[in-house]
Amino acid sequence: MLQTTASAMRTEQLVNELQTFGARLVDPNAGADSRRGGAGPSDHKALNIDGMTVMVPVHTAPAHASPYVLEKPDADGNSRISRDGVTLSDISFPHRPRFYDLTTQDGIPFSKIAVLHGKDVLATTVLQSCVRYRSRTKTCQFCAIGQSLAAGRTTQRKTPAQLAAVAKAAVELDGVKHMVMTTGTPPGKDRGAAILTESAAAVKAAVDLPIQAQCEPPDDDAWFGRMRAAGIDALGMHLEAVTPAVRARIMPGKAQVPLARYFSAFEAAVPVFGRGQVSTYILAGLGDTAEAILDMAARLIGLGVYPFVVPFVPISGTPLENHPAPSAAFMHGILQPIATMLVQGGLSAADIKAGCGKCGACSALSTYERGLSA
Ligand code: SF4
C-alpha cells in the first residue's frame, strides 16, 4: 500500500496539488472520456484515489508541464500516480458508463444528452447556448459552453423527454445517485428557471433521482417554489468571483446581475430548499484575494449557503487559457479555513442532496471537511 494508507491530511494535499498542477496522462485513452469544453470547469479526467473520485485537469497548458504523471492503466483501469519517478499512490480510472451505448429513438446518442461526472453524478447542460456567449466582450472569460457544441459532442437543447430517458437508463445501468442540471442563460427574465423546472418534472416522473439545478438568480423569487415543487432538491446560483472588480473583468455580462441580487436570491431560496441545499460556485485564482474569498464564504455559510470553492482551470480555447491556475498553497490557505467554517456552521458536502457540492470532484474542499471530521 502506498499513499492509500497515508493520513487524511496527505490525501488532501495530494488532491489539492493534482487539481492545481494538473497531471500528465501517459495513455490518452485511459478511463472514461475526459470532459472537454462545455459549461463550467472542464478539460479534466476523472480518477479514483483513496476512496474518492476527483477531477484532475489533463488537457490544460499547466497539466502538460505538471510534475505528476498518471501511468497507463491495466485492463481493469488500475494505475498509479508518480512524481519524479516516485510512485505516490494507487489510483483507478472509472469505466465508461453503460448508458453511453444507448441512443434516443431518433438516433441521438445518450452521451450527447447527459454525461457521467465524478463517480455517480449525471450531468447535463439543458440549453447549450447562452445569451452571454454571443460576444467575447460579454462572455464569461473562463467558459467553453460553445466548444462542446461546436465539436458535435452535445446537442443544443435537451428536451424533457430525452432527459427523462437518459436519467432512467443511467440509474438502472450505472447506478447514478444524483443529477446536475445546468443551463446556459436564455434570453428572458427567468434566466433558465423555466426550462430547468420542466426538465426536472419530467425526470422525476420517470425516476427517483435527486436533482440539483443551476442558474443565475431569476427575476422573481416565486421561481424557487416552482422549482422545488417540480422536484428540484438543491439549487446552485454561482457567483464565480466575489469582488465586483474581478466579476466585471472576468464576466462582464453576468456581472450585470449585482452581488446584491445574488444575496436577496440566496435569502429567498434557503427557506425553500433548506440550509445547505443552496450553493454557489466560486472559482479561486481569478484575482480575488484569499481574504475576500474567506469573507464571502463566512457570509454565505451564515445564510445557509454552501460555498463550493474550486481552483480555476484554464480551459483550452477560452480567453483565459493562458491564465495561471492558483497555487496549491493558495488553495490550501482557503480550503482549510472554509472547511472549518462549514463544520462550525453545521453545513457539509455529505448532507447536500444533489449537485456539485455533494459530488465534490472538482475541489478538494470535501476532502478537507473529511479530514476535520476524522
Ligand atoms: S463537482 Fe460538479 S462539475 Fe465537478 S464533476 Fe462533480 S458534478 Fe461535475
Side-chain angles (χ1 to χ4, degrees), residues 35 41 55 117-118 121 123 178 180 214 281 308 355-357 359-363:
R35 296 184 57 205
M55 303 300 280
H117 276 203
V121 188
H178 55 120
V180 174
Q214 303 178 344
Y281 230 97
F308 188 53
C356 289
C359 166
C362 286
S363 169

Side-chain angles (χ1 to χ4, degrees), residues 47 73 103 164 174 176 195 221-223 239 245 254 275 279-280 357 365:
L47 59 90
T103 58
D174 296 288
V176 304
I195 55 172
D221 291 341
W223 276 110
L239 290 169
K254 195 169 167 179
R275 264 183 73 78
S279 60
T280 191
L365 180 56

